[in-house]
Amino acid sequence: MPSGSRQPRHAETAPIHHNGHAKHAAADPSAGRLGYKWIALSNTTLGMLMATVNASIMLIALPDIFRGIGVNPLQPGNTTLLLWLIMGYLVVTAVLVVSFGRLGDMFGRVRMFNLGFALFAFFSVLLSVTWLHGTSAAWWLIGMRIMQGVGGAMLMANSSAILTDAFPSNQRGMALGLNQVAGIAGSFIGLVLGGLLGPINWRFVFLVSVPFGVIGAVWSYLKLQERGIRRPAKLDWWGNVTFGAGLIAVLVGITYGIQPYGGHTMGWTSPLVLSLIGGGLAVLAIFCVIETRVADPMFRLALFKIRPFTAGNLASLLAGLGRGGMMFILIIWLQGIYLPIHGYSFERTPLWAGIAMLPLTVGFLIAGPVSGYLSDRFGARPFATGGMVVAAASFGLLEMLPVNFVYWEFAGILLLNGIGMGLFASPNRAGIMNSLPPERRGVGAGMSATFQNSAMVLSIGIFFTLIILGLASSLPATLSHGLVAQGVPSAAAAKLAALPPVSIMFAALLGYNPIKMLLGSALSKLPASHAAYLTGHTFFPSLISAPFHHGLDIAFDFAIIACLIAALASLLRGRRYVHDEHDQATDEENSTAQDSTAHAVAVTSAGDDLERIEGRIGRVGDPASVGGDLA
């Protein structure tokens, strides 16, 4: 085919669907309009914000929720309910984002995104209208949270792909940056929102998502367009089943590993935990083998041959490990130690802990859009790498703070941490999405979200384990001596000191008065002055500050190492790489090479013809030669 009439790549697979009605890009009058990309950005950002706000909104509101349904989460056996209310949503979004990204590639990203909004709103309603009470109500909430997470996974899996389809490559960093920053900021906005709504009515914590879900579903149905390349394919059932089963087993094992087992502080030696984690890893190994054998795998292992994609996801995983559980640890630090020492009642600490962490969100909001915009010009590597170095430095500064710190120093370090994470998040996501071929953006975005969401669960397990180990080393003896000194009978003090440290930590996390909750009726047998001191603002914070700080040092060291390795992975991603531009340049090079070859062949052929003609002319007048030619 002549070079001037070459067809664009994937031209045979470029039909676009709008709400199920097929039309072609060339015939779409809105395809070149500037307005659509901003519609896509605002709608997908609303979806990401809603999904991530709900990942954290319960954390601060848990005391009000448990009071509302009549459950004491610190009683033996009820810590399972507490953990699953926190972790269930995170686990299901981590498991399902790849599958929904793959389905988006096959059946339409906008369709999956629409359905995600609708499911999210529907199960938010069911969460708020439970008529049950006690543990039955808690399990109802856990089940509905898991189903709400299904909707959240649909939103997370397809938002980045929809934006990548809508924006040109020189603006994707800015668009994906805003979307990514909204998602991360949503985790911290949820803390404040839960602290505000929970005391009014615990049902409002879930109802607040309903109007946004309905508006988002209608808006996306009417305005979003299927601009991605869709290729018919068979659903990889075995891949989906093994991936889901393996990852669920690993994440559930981590969740139960945090809980005590027998006489052990935690459950990492439990046969159930070891079986879940070991069996889950074995099933995931089988999944990797399956994905190399099937024609249309759900998890495109071949994408890891793209260096920017691999390096970006490795950096994202490590950054998530450094950041994910840190939010919980900082909240425990604020609620259990800092705020009570400074006169805040335990009941008020959840809301004020969320407010105290706002500088972190401000840092994200400042650095994310700016770094995303600049990465469109200079590539992701300098900003993502520098952001991880800044984050590592901020964790080092946090480690240097005393437990009873000066707040403006703490706020400044949080701001620095938010700036570092914002510098990293936006360019890194843009670098990952730019590296993907158009027909793989959905599954690629889902794979990236899986690494990020799984890192959140892994990080919580790691950080909780480190803090619990720090508490377990000295808390029991310190607690027993402190209680006996205030007149608590030795038997009651020993019983309280024997409680697993996770109960003490959850008491601080939930904003309960820990000693009042754990001693219960034994307080009434003490002198009033002693009881008031034990349940006051200083006894419990002073009690746990030293062992907690020991655990903090270990946790911060881990975060620093994770961020520095993430910086190294980001550094190795290479220069700015955009798959579309790379393909176009390759096509142009191939076209130029084909044209040059054709020209050389034509010149050579013309030269041969000229030589034959000259030979004939040279033989004119030679009868034998002429006769030979005539013959």
Side-chain angles (χ1 to χ4, degrees):
M1 182 182 292
S3 61
S5 60
R6 296 175 74 251
Q7 295 296 317
R9 183 173 293 213
H10 307 311
E12 75 279 4
T13 58
I16 294 178
H17 299 263
H18 178 57
N19 297 335
H21 303 289
K23 61 182 179 180
H24 292 276
D28 182 6
S30 66
R33 292 179 186 171
L34 294 176
Y36 173 72
K37 62 185 180 183
W38 303 115
I39 293 173
L41 176 60
S42 53
N43 188 265
T44 55
T45 299
L46 174 64
M48 282 295 293
L49 191 63
M50 188 177 71
T52 55
V53 162
N54 277 270
S56 62
I57 194 171
M58 282 187 58
L59 189 59
I60 298 297
L62 277 172
D64 299 296
I65 293 172
F66 279 118
R67 277 193 292 269
I69 62 177
V71 172
N72 180 0
L74 300 182
Q75 286 182 347
N78 285 351
T79 53
T80 299
L81 304 176
L82 172 64
L83 276 176
W84 274 111
L85 272 174
I86 295 173
M87 305 284 276
Y89 182 91
L90 301 174
V91 169
V92 74
T93 52
V95 170
L96 293 179
V97 282
V98 173
S99 298
F100 289 145
R102 176 68 176 139
L103 290 173
D105 284 341
M106 293 169 58
F107 302 113
R109 294 156 191 167
V110 171
R111 287 182 177 178
M112 299 301 296
F113 194 76
N114 289 344
L115 184 58
F117 263 126
L119 285 177
F120 206 99
F122 177 70
F123 287 107
S124 295
V125 172
L126 292 184
L127 276 163
S128 64
V129 299
T130 177
W131 61 94
L132 300 170
H133 196 72
T135 56
S136 299
W139 284 113
W140 169 270
L141 293 179
I142 290 169
M144 294 303 101
R145 277 285 283 178
I146 289 173
M147 295 307 298
Q148 190 187 48
V150 173
M154 290 180 174
L155 296 172
M156 294 179 185
N158 293 282
S159 61
S160 294
I162 291 172
L163 279 180
T164 306
D165 292 337
F167 278 81
S169 61
N170 64 340
Q171 294 181 339
R172 285 176 190 157
M174 177 272 299
L176 291 166
L178 289 170
N179 189 259
Q180 180 80 353
V181 167
I184 296 174
S187 300
F188 300 99
I189 294 172
L191 298 177
V192 178
L193 201 58
L196 291 172
L197 296 176
I200 300 172
N201 191 311
W202 67 268
R203 299 177 191 271
F204 291 169
V205 174
F206 305 114
L207 276 175
V208 70
S209 300
V210 176
F212 296 104
V214 172
I215 291 170
V218 174
W219 188 13
S220 63
Y221 178 81
L222 294 176
K223 295 297 183 180
L224 291 186
Q225 303 169 9
E226 293 286 7
R227 295 192 169 190
I229 294 174
R230 289 163 49 189
R231 287 184 171 177
K234 292 182 179 180
L235 192 61
D236 178 16
W237 287 107
W238 282 111
N240 278 272
V241 170
T242 52
F243 178 77
L247 190 57
I248 286 174
V250 171
L251 297 181
V252 169
I254 291 170
T255 302
Y256 280 104
I258 302 171
Q259 299 187 61
Y261 165 68
H264 300 278
T265 303
M266 287 175 289
W268 296 114
T269 57
S270 163
L272 173 64
V273 171
L274 294 175
S275 299
L276 284 170
I277 294 177
L281 292 174
V283 173
L284 287 176
I286 296 172
F287 160 76
C288 292
V289 174
I290 291 173
E291 296 305 274
T292 62
R293 305 290 179 86
V294 297
D296 294 301
M298 63 163 283
F299 208 93
R300 291 276 172 176
L301 297 178
L303 292 178
F304 290 110
K305 295 178 181 178
I306 304 172
R307 187 170 69 169
F309 179 80
T310 302
N313 279 305
L314 178 59
S316 179
L317 175 68
L318 291 163
L321 287 175
R323 183 190 69 241
M326 188 55 61
M327 179 174 67
F328 290 84
I329 302 307
L330 293 177
I331 289 172
I332 294 171
W333 189 358
L334 289 167
Q335 292 184 190
I337 301 174
Y338 179 81
L339 290 172
I341 288 177
H342 288 80
Y344 291 83
S345 66
F346 286 101
E347 292 76 16
R348 294 170 59 206
T349 57
L351 172 60
W352 284 101
I355 294 173
M357 292 182 65
L358 283 178
L360 195 61
T361 304
V362 173
F364 278 118
L365 295 178
I366 291 172
V370 173
S371 64
Y373 173 78
L374 293 175
S375 71
D376 288 329
R377 296 185 58 190
F378 304 107
R381 181 166 60 177
F383 303 99
T385 304
M388 282 293 94
V389 173
V390 171
S394 69
F395 285 125
L397 292 173
L398 281 172
E399 188 171 351
M400 294 170 63
L401 282 180
V403 174
N404 185 17
F405 49 79
V406 178
Y407 177 72
W408 69 264
E409 295 176 349
F410 179 77
I413 298 173
L414 285 190
L415 179 67
L416 183 65
N417 185 274
I419 289 173
M421 291 295 181
L423 283 173
F424 168 80
S426 304
N428 189 66
R429 176 52 63 91
I432 290 171
M433 295 305 299
N434 277 334
S435 70
L436 293 169
E439 70 276 12
R440 303 288 181 234
R441 286 172 182 163
V443 69
M447 291 164 69
S448 179
T450 293
F451 285 115
Q452 188 170 318
N453 294 351
S454 298
M456 181 74 172
V457 179
L458 289 170
S459 182
I460 291 171
I462 292 169
F463 278 96
F464 273 22
T465 298
L466 296 175
I467 294 296
I468 291 170
L469 287 174
L471 290 174
S473 62
S474 58
L475 181 62
T478 306
L479 181 59
S480 178
H481 292 155
L483 292 173
V484 170
Q486 294 300 316
V488 177
S490 299
K495 182 179 179 181
L496 186 57
L499 287 175
V502 68
S503 298
I504 306 292
M505 190 172 66
F506 283 154
L509 178 66
L510 292 171
Y512 291 139
N513 188 319
I515 301 300
K516 185 176 181 180
M517 289 289 297
L518 297 172
L519 274 180
S521 59
L523 282 171
S524 60
K525 302 175 183 178
L526 299 177
S529 60
H530 289 198
Y533 175 71
L534 288 174
T535 57
H537 296 166
T538 59
F539 176 76
F540 179 76
S542 301
L543 191 72
I544 70 169
S545 59
F548 183 80
H549 194 266
H550 176 65
L552 270 182
D553 288 342
I554 301 173
F556 286 140
D557 287 339
F558 174 81
I560 291 169
I561 294 170
C563 288
L564 290 177
I565 299 175
L568 178 61
S570 181
L571 186 65
L572 297 176
R573 74 174 68 236
R575 296 181 180 272
R576 184 175 183 270
Y577 176 88
V578 179
H579 188 278
D580 296 350
E581 295 175 2
H582 182 266
D583 271 9
Q584 183 179 0
T586 302
D587 289 346
E588 290 174 355
E589 290 174 4
N590 292 338
S591 175
T592 301
Q594 292 172 3
D595 292 346
S596 299
T597 302
H599 178 70
V601 170
V603 170
T604 302
S605 178
D608 292 343
D609 291 343
L610 181 60
E611 289 178 1
R612 285 196 296 270
I613 292 171
E614 290 175 345
R616 290 185 180 184
I617 293 175
R619 292 194 299 271
V620 173
D622 183 351
S625 174
V626 174
D629 287 342
L630 293 174

